[in-house]
Each structure stands twice: as structure tokens, then as C-alpha cells.
Amino acid sequence: MTANASPAAGRFHAATASRRQDDGTWAGAVHEGWDIVGNANGGYLLALLGRAMRDASGRPDVVAMTAHYLSPGKPGEVRISPRVLKSGRSFATVTAEMYAGERILLHATGEFGDVSAVHGQIERVLGAPPELPPPDQCIRAVPAKDFPPPVMRNFDLRLHPDDTGFLDGRPHGKALVRGWFRLLDDEPMDTLTLLLATDAFPPTIFNAALPVSWTPTVELTVHVRARPRTEWLRCEFTSRFVSNGFLEEDGLVWDDEGRMIAQSRQLALVPRG
């Protein structure tokens, strides 16, 4: 158990916990049930890696992370090797790899600091949170035989009713997915939770009448602006380009007070049907 974990930690914190070893590496595990068709969800893997990196940095928050996914993650023990490249007054830069045995799963570099600190007085926000019905009027993603996948048992995800047509073969034709996100059992959300939230929703292309299948993540970047401080997060994901076997997915995460708290961009492989 790390210094930032506690016996009362909820399922997300427990599933992303790791402990420091005498040789400077961290020992953790990819937990059962955090998968999509047998492979661990990319946001979950990033949060597992990010927690060890954050703890190694000695800072309270992840500020930015970029990860390259090299092998699918399966349930079992993993080894994480964080290295602090620089520790400055405001931020620490850390790089790390996650291994399952000798197989490398992903490599990431991140900035860690205190997002509650004010780093500048200028603000200019040109976007707005997505318009969503209240959570109880949205469609909860409850894992079934074929869809949604098992990972969605570990959080509460509610999809905008207009964005669920792909479930019965009637996608609306836009590469767009909107909805609400929160952890279960009143587990508090921190900046590491945002790494999971940015990869928790169905792929945008499901609503663009493209194949509904596993969409493997190649690279995922997350920028964090603030800590979540509301029960629910408003999320919106869009894609503009699907070409040469790849797609990009851009995400915005807002809290329910109208603050934009995270951005993401993901490069993924297009399902082959």
C-alpha cells in the first residue's frame, strides 16, 4: 500500500494501488474486471501507472500524462519503474514503464504538481459543458453479455439518450459521445480518476456507423486543469478524422459547476469489423 492509499480506499483506488520495492520499482497488479474483451482498459492502465508515478514524484496531482501502449494488459502482477527526471519548484517530471514479467505494456511521461495552486491570472474559456439531461434521465451503461464491457461495472456511466442509437443499430451518424461519469459507492475522485474518465466511454465512431468492436489505444494524452469537486463529471468526446486505419478522439471533462477540468486526445486503431 502506498503512502497515498488507505484501508478505506474504494475500488478504483484499490485497483490502482502499488507498493514501492527495495530496488526502487513499484509492484502492483492489473485487476480482474477492468477489461474490454479480455484486455485491460487503457484509462485504467494509465491510472495504475500514473498513481505510482505520482507517488514517486512526491506531488499531489497529475498535471499531464502521455502514454504509448505497447502490449495488451491482462490480469496479473505488474512491475512499474518510475524515474524522476527533474523535480522543480512547481512541477516534477517523471517517466515510467509498466511490465508484466518481461513484457512491456506501456511507457509514459508525466508532469506532477499541485493543481490547486494558481499558476496565472489570465483566463479565456471559449467552450462550454455539453448539454445533458440529468443523470437519472440518461442511459446507464450496465455490462451485459456483449456490450457494454466488464470495465463499466467499476464506475457509474450515464450516456446521453441521443448517443445510444448504436446499441440497437441506429447510430445518429456523428462521431460523438456525451454523458455523465462518477465513481461508485461515493468514492472521492482525484486527478488520477480523470485518467480513467477520459477513456471510459464507448468510442465515438460507434455513433458514426462504423464497426462496433474493440478500438485499441495507440497513444493517450491527458491534460488536467483542476481536481474534481462535484459528484458527477460532464464528458464529451468527438472525432474529426478517421483515416489510414487510425482515428483521433478528443475529450473534454467538466465538473457540474461548469469548470473544464481535463482534456484528452487519443490515437486509436479503427475496428476492422
Side-chain angles (χ1 to χ4, degrees), residues 145-181:
K145 180 179 179 182
D146 298 316
F147 190 89
V151 66
M152 292 186 182
R153 293 191 182 95
N154 297 299
F155 43 80
D156 190 346
L157 190 151
R158 311 285 179 100
L159 295 174
H160 193 302
D162 293 347
D163 296 347
T164 61
F166 69 91
L167 292 172
D168 57 10
R170 295 183 296 108
H172 53 46
K174 300 177 182 177
L176 169 69
V177 174
R178 298 160 293 176
W180 298 94
F181 175 95

Side-chain angles (χ1 to χ4, degrees), residues 30-53:
V30 173
H31 286 230
E32 295 273 1
W34 289 83
D35 65 286
I36 299 172
V37 296
N39 297 310
N41 168 263
Y44 165 64
L45 287 178
L46 187 59
L48 173 59
L49 181 62
R51 188 172 297 279
M53 294 169 69

Side-chain angles (χ1 to χ4, degrees), residues 123-141:
E123 289 206 13
R124 186 183 185 193
V125 179
L126 301 181
E131 294 186 5
L132 298 171
D136 60 1
Q137 295 178 24
C138 289
I139 308 302
R140 184 170 184 181

Side-chain angles (χ1 to χ4, degrees), residues 144-224:
K145 180 179 179 182
D146 298 316
F147 190 89
V151 66
M152 292 186 182
R153 293 191 182 95
N154 297 299
F155 43 80
D156 190 346
L157 190 151
R158 311 285 179 100
L159 295 174
H160 193 302
D162 293 347
D163 296 347
T164 61
F166 69 91
L167 292 172
D168 57 10
R170 295 183 296 108
H172 53 46
K174 300 177 182 177
L176 169 69
V177 174
R178 298 160 293 176
W180 298 94
F181 175 95
R182 68 175 177 180
L183 295 179
L184 297 174
D185 305 320
D186 297 320
E187 182 176 358
M189 294 188 286
D190 58 10
T191 51
L192 291 168
T193 313
L194 298 173
L195 304 180
L196 172 66
T198 58
D199 195 41
F201 284 73
T204 55
I205 60 167
F206 286 7
N207 275 323
L210 291 172
V212 175
S213 183
W214 182 42
T215 307
T217 302
V218 176
E219 184 266 348
L220 175 60
T221 294
V222 181
H223 296 165
V224 174

